[in-house]
Amino acid sequence: MADPHTIAAPDDIDVDGFRRALHAEFSGTVSFGPGARALYTADASNYRHVPLAVALPRTTDDIIAAVAAARAHGVPLTPRGGGTSIAGNAIGSGLVIDTSRHLTAIENLDPAARTAQVQPGLILDDLHAAAAPHGLTFGPDPSTHSRCTLGGMIGNNACGAHSVAWGTTADNVESLDVLLYDGTRMTVGATSAEELDRRAALPTPEGRIYAALRELTATYMADLRTNMPQLSRRVSGYALDRLLPEHGGHIARALTGTEGSCVTVLGATVRLAEAPPARALVVLGYPDAPSAADAVPELLDHGPLTVEGLNHRLVAGLDRPGARSGVALPKGRAWLMVEMGGAG
């Protein structure tokens, strides 16, 4: 049996033993066949990795069983949602766990609290459709909204055009139900200093994790406060500054964007935003891209939902033979598309 704290190369894995372990506890579909493996070799990126196996869990217990089997046999894990990643985030050489087939439910939607409890394979547009009758929406909306999953959005801290108004996925995550590679299951969210101390004192794996997080934050508090870029769309890397007390000691938001490298997401409670009843799009023209960029701070003072830019080179690509934009733009060589919302 492999050391559970090491990741074995595929050639070192007892494939037959791993297959038996998966089938023993897993109620969903597991495939080691070439067809399924070929289907999961790619995502929306240019990268390719042939996985050892593909698992389609039907229940949360299936995910827990799959992680346990992978741990016992030293198999790398790749959680996968819609496969819309453009940086190779949803492919790997070990076990790919695809939640988008069965774990797609909204377990609870509370219009009064403006929250939704969701499974990781839920498609974003399905959440939009469920929230819309209540005048609500989930703010972050990447261009892949018709096929990306909430678990995937949590994995890469997705943004979308409306992050100007409603922030990134991390800004809208209230809590996460997570599973660590060693089998520890936790529900994490905002954590006050008092709660952190209480949990850190527990003689359990969970207690040791809270103690380690408390030590990490205390040791590097000055660096976390001064060296983390204060950007509204900072989505790359580990957002350890979310652990600071002034940010609520928010473990769920610190985990958002970590691409499954720290935990496997079993479920999430996310915050919903009020959707404006009326929207209008204004296109503004500028002499060049720097001029358009200089105008953005003043535009933000008006509370737009979206501010997106394009320049003459992008527009020229639409005027090549065989392509017609069909859009009359204001004079200029750069443009800002500004969406505003209101009561109607």
Side-chain angles (χ1 to χ4, degrees):
M1 180 178 292
D3 181 342
H5 300 292
T6 63
I7 299 298
D11 290 344
D12 299 330
I13 293 171
D14 175 8
V15 177
D16 288 337
F18 178 50
R19 182 186 287 110
R20 288 192 298 271
L22 270 177
H23 284 295
E25 301 292 339
F26 198 85
S27 68
T29 303
V30 179
S31 180
F32 287 78
R37 294 170 66 204
L39 285 174
Y40 286 84
T41 295
D43 55 9
S45 73
N46 289 327
Y47 301 105
R48 300 292 183 269
H49 277 296
V50 180
L52 175 65
V54 177
L56 308 179
R58 291 187 178 277
T59 66
T60 298
D61 286 342
D62 278 345
I63 299 179
I64 296 171
V67 172
R71 178 176 69 251
H73 292 271
V75 176
L77 287 172
T78 302
R80 179 178 173 123
T84 60
S85 305
I86 60 173
N89 317 39
I91 55 177
S93 59
L95 177 66
V96 173
I97 302 178
D98 180 359
T99 61
S100 69
R101 298 293 185 92
H102 305 296
L103 294 174
T104 60
I106 300 173
E107 297 180 334
N108 183 53
L109 196 155
D110 187 337
R114 293 184 180 177
T115 60
Q117 185 178 353
V118 302
Q119 293 182 332
L122 175 69
I123 292 175
L124 175 57
D125 269 1
D126 291 341
L127 178 57
H128 284 161
H134 305 286
L136 301 173
T137 188
F138 186 66
D141 58 343
S143 59
T144 55
H145 53 83
S146 65
R147 53 207 181 275
C148 69
T149 66
L150 268 292
M153 293 179 68
I154 291 166
N156 63 19
N157 193 14
C159 292
H162 292 98
S163 64
V164 173
W166 294 310
T168 68
T169 298
D171 296 318
N172 294 276
V173 168
E174 293 298 315
S175 66
L176 295 176
D177 179 8
V178 299
L179 181 71
L180 277 65
Y181 192 63
D182 68 359
T184 302
R185 183 174 180 178
M186 305 169 60
T187 298
V188 296
T191 314
S192 67
E194 294 77 12
E195 184 180 3
L196 184 61
D197 288 339
R198 180 182 64 80
R199 296 193 176 211
L202 297 173
T204 61
E206 181 177 344
R208 290 193 292 271
I209 291 167
Y210 277 101
L213 289 173
R214 181 179 61 182
E215 181 181 359
L216 173 70
T217 306
T219 301
Y220 297 101
M221 187 170 289
D223 289 330
L224 295 177
R225 282 175 169 156
T226 59
N227 292 340
M228 303 295 282
Q230 299 305 304
L231 304 173
S232 60
R233 288 180 64 160
R234 173 164 58 90
V235 298
S236 299
Y238 294 84
L240 296 178
D241 52 324
R242 300 273 190 176
L243 299 173
L244 291 168
E246 59 265 33
H247 296 156
H250 214 302
I251 299 172
R253 294 179 181 177
L255 287 171
T256 302
T258 58
E259 296 286 5
S261 59
C262 296
V263 299
T264 298
V265 174
L266 304 177
T269 298
V270 297
R271 185 172 63 198
L272 303 175
E274 184 176 357
R279 303 187 188 205
L281 181 67
V282 180
V283 182
L284 305 174
Y286 298 89
D288 49 42
S291 300
D294 288 341
V296 170
E298 184 176 357
L299 292 172
L300 293 178
D301 289 340
H302 296 279
L305 300 177
T306 302
V307 180
E308 293 285 314
L310 69 159
N311 63 19
H312 67 285
R313 291 188 178 89
L314 290 172
V315 174
L318 298 176
D319 293 331
R320 66 187 184 277
R324 296 176 60 86
S325 67
V327 177
L329 294 171
K331 290 182 179 180
R333 291 170 62 82
W335 298 267
L336 292 177
M337 294 172 286
V338 183
E339 184 184 23
M340 303 297 295

